[in-house]
Amino acid sequence: MVTIVKHEWHQTDVMYAIEIDEDLLQEIYPDMEEEEIANLLKQLADGDMDVEEVVNDAYENDVELDWEHQEDDMWTMRKGGYDVTYELGNESSWHVEPEPLPHTHKCTKCKWTGMNYDADWHWEENFEGEQESKKVCPYCESDTELTEAGVKEKKESDERAARWATEAADEDEELVDETDLEKDLEELKREFEELTTEVDDDDSLKESYPEDTYTIRIWGRTREIGVSKIKKAQYEYWSDEDHEDDLSDALNENYDYEDNNTPKAAQFDMPYYEYQDKISFWGFDQDDTHMTIENSEGETIYEGDLENFFSEAHGEEDSRWDCADELEELYPEYLGKGYWLMWTQGGKGSCIQTTIEGEFEPKKLKVFNWDIQGTSVITRLVYDGAELDDEGMDGEHDNWRGQWAQFDVYHNEK
């Protein structure tokens, strides 16, 4: 029996509609006279007015447009213009919805439960003036604690770490067995005398490794990025040299608008992480990584950075363009017309831990990334066409710490 997988490549049009009348235009343009509003509505009806400009003006003047969802039109199906491809599949080609993992964390005050990565980061200044971070409830920002499943998961992680430490200690004891020490030293001496300048290639990557469980861990410089449209008044106030240095405090809710006489229209009514409706993702810098790959026995088959891994996996004669797929690029000047907020929360240390089951072929490991103002930021690891899940770094390997943040506002005229 053979499994065949069929792919249909469609495009879908998600449609919304809204009725704009004189009352709504008056709300968007409160300074216009009735005659001007009537003329503007006529221009819209005749197609002489740029609709996108009205939508942008509504957003900038804090007027919410009540769009009504109409339909999702898979127009490639209707037109018959979609592409079809086929490939050989296997057992993993049959999609089975996995059982949801039990929640490992809960709020100490409200009823929120979730996973560690569902919680929010909260930064506080310690007595040395440094920023320290902790995970808090995403709803009420209270401290979190482990659920019963979380306690069990931590216990298993601690037991695993203790077992590895014991095994390492046992190995050290064997190495220093005094009864064989003299014989070992003599053997080492003979090997040293016979040593040549030939390069030992045992540590280089092989084309494939036997069926096993392989654990990949990556550490490096991380980024969480959000982009959202803001109002004209917010841009004008926070781009002014008298206030631009306070933008970070305002978005972290550590700024007193009343004491600083900040106009209501220029104030932010939410913390920075709520402003990510245009672009939102997390990743790590491709040129700043440390990577290890271990088998189920804890033996390291690779240690180095991601760039060298790809070089070794593909070799000089093979193209390395297949190692990475660029999803999108982010340059503020190309976001489109309007006023924009872009924020970045950065850290250093733990990035991702994931596993590959079965035979491991290094060439099949690749990354998806974004071009962020000239920096390649990896957002996903993919093996043999399937995205690898981030399982969360083991406790003994988890050394993430927040280091830096950046907040900027931009104005694009087109």
Side-chain angles (χ1 to χ4, degrees):
M1 184 178 294
V2 176
T3 299
I4 305 295
V5 178
K6 174 185 177 182
H7 296 276
E8 293 183 358
W9 304 90
H10 292 281
Q11 293 190 44
T12 303
D13 176 18
V14 183
M15 297 172 55
Y16 299 85
I18 189 173
E19 290 186 345
I20 295 180
D21 56 16
E22 293 182 350
D23 290 338
L24 182 54
L25 287 177
Q26 189 69 70
E27 191 177 351
I28 298 172
Y29 303 102
D31 297 331
M32 282 191 179
E33 301 292 337
E34 288 187 12
E35 186 176 340
E36 293 177 294
I37 292 293
N39 184 49
L40 180 57
L41 186 60
K42 184 177 185 305
Q43 288 180 317
L44 275 173
D46 295 341
D48 297 330
M49 178 70 180
D50 185 355
V51 175
E52 187 174 351
E53 184 176 341
V54 175
V55 173
N56 289 337
D57 288 343
Y59 183 86
E60 290 166 12
N61 291 321
D62 207 17
V63 175
E64 185 175 348
L65 298 180
D66 189 14
W67 294 96
E68 294 185 23
H69 179 258
Q70 301 301 301
E71 64 174 344
D72 297 340
D73 178 17
M74 192 179 291
W75 62 271
T76 44
M77 178 70 81
R78 173 166 47 81
K79 292 173 60 179
Y82 58 88
D83 295 328
V84 178
T85 60
Y86 301 91
E87 64 180 6
L88 282 175
N90 51 37
E91 290 183 1
S92 64
S93 302
W94 300 97
H95 178 71
V96 178
E97 193 68 30
E99 289 290 329
L101 294 173
H103 290 172
T104 58
H105 288 66
K106 62 182 179 180
C107 179
T108 57
K109 290 189 177 179
C110 71
K111 295 182 179 180
W112 176 83
T113 62
M115 308 300 286
N116 183 48
Y117 50 77
D118 293 325
D120 284 337
W121 286 107
H122 178 69
W123 282 264
E124 293 180 345
E125 191 172 288
N126 61 22
F127 65 92
E128 295 178 347
E130 299 175 339
Q131 290 289 324
E132 291 186 342
S133 61
K134 65 177 181 179
K135 282 296 189 77
V136 298
C137 172
Y139 293 107
C140 67
E141 298 190 347
S142 301
D143 290 338
T144 61
E145 62 184 7
L146 295 176
T147 62
E148 184 177 342
V151 171
K152 180 181 178 182
E153 181 183 77
K154 185 177 186 306
K155 180 182 177 183
E156 291 173 350
S157 176
D158 292 344
E159 289 174 349
R160 190 163 54 247
R163 184 173 67 254
W164 290 344
T166 301
E167 291 172 356
D170 291 343
E171 289 177 4
D172 289 342
E173 278 187 32
E174 292 175 8
L175 288 173
V176 296
D177 189 341
E178 292 184 358
T179 59
D180 295 325
L181 185 57
E182 238 179 43
K183 184 171 66 174
D184 291 341
L185 286 173
E186 287 297 321
E187 183 68 21
L188 285 172
K189 183 178 179 181
R190 285 195 301 272
E191 291 177 2
F192 181 77
E193 290 171 349
E194 296 171 0
L195 189 63
T196 67
T197 58
E198 293 179 1
V199 176
D200 185 359
D201 291 326
D202 288 344
D203 292 335
S204 61
L205 277 175
K206 303 174 184 177
E207 288 189 7
S208 65
Y209 293 85
E211 289 195 4
D212 201 345
T213 299
Y214 295 92
T215 301
I216 300 174
R217 299 184 181 92
I218 298 179
W219 298 264
R221 180 182 172 94
T222 66
R223 298 168 185 251
E224 183 180 1
I225 294 175
V227 176
S228 180
K229 264 199 168 182
I230 57 175
K231 295 179 287 189
K232 178 180 180 181
Q234 291 172 318
Y235 168 78
E236 291 179 340
Y237 184 83
W238 298 106
S239 62
D240 187 278
E241 62 180 10
D242 292 335
H243 307 295
E244 59 184 5
D245 292 337
D246 298 319
L247 179 58
S248 173
D249 288 337
L251 288 166
N252 279 285
E253 301 183 304
N254 293 323
Y255 189 79
D256 194 319
Y257 294 120
E258 186 175 343
D259 284 355
N260 288 281
N261 297 318
T262 306
K264 178 65 176 176
Q267 297 177 17
F268 291 102
D269 54 4
M270 299 183 295
Y272 72 90
Y273 49 79
E274 298 291 349
Y275 293 92
Q276 49 183 310
D277 53 286
K278 174 67 174 181
I279 293 174
S280 173
F281 69 88
W282 176 94
F284 52 92
D285 292 5
Q286 184 165 334
D287 62 358
D288 184 1
T289 60
H290 180 75
M291 174 183 183
T292 64
I293 304 177
E294 296 179 352
N295 62 20
S296 61
E297 299 298 323
E299 298 170 340
T300 301
I301 66 172
Y302 178 79
E303 181 168 8
D305 59 48
L306 201 55
E307 295 293 331
N308 284 330
F309 172 83
F310 286 140
S311 296
E312 289 190 36
H314 287 255
E316 296 180 0
E317 297 180 0
D318 199 355
S319 170
R320 289 186 54 213
W321 290 108
D322 290 337
C323 302
D325 278 354
E326 185 174 293
L327 300 178
E328 295 284 352
E329 62 179 17
L330 173 53
Y331 289 81
E333 59 268 33
Y334 301 135
L335 285 169
K337 182 179 178 181
Y339 303 92
W340 300 93
L341 165 67
M342 176 174 168
W343 58 264
T344 305
Q345 285 287 355
K348 186 78 173 180
S350 309
C351 295
I352 185 174
Q353 175 173 317
T354 188
T355 55
I356 294 174
E357 300 283 349
E359 185 180 2
F360 175 54
E361 298 179 48
K363 275 188 181 181
K364 292 183 177 180
L365 183 65
K366 65 189 298 184
V367 298
F368 284 174
N369 56 16
W370 276 58
D371 174 4
I372 309 299
Q373 295 176 284
T375 297
S376 176
V377 178
I378 296 171
T379 59
R380 282 182 278 169
L381 294 183
V382 176
Y383 181 75
D384 199 17
E387 182 178 347
L388 297 175
D389 294 328
D390 183 5
E391 300 165 359
M393 196 71 75
D394 289 338
E396 65 175 315
H397 297 100
D398 189 0
N399 62 351
W400 190 92
R401 55 194 176 91
Q403 279 192 324
W404 59 283
Q406 185 170 340
F407 302 86
D408 296 290
V409 291
Y410 300 93
H411 175 215
N412 295 331
E413 294 184 355
K414 60 179 183 179

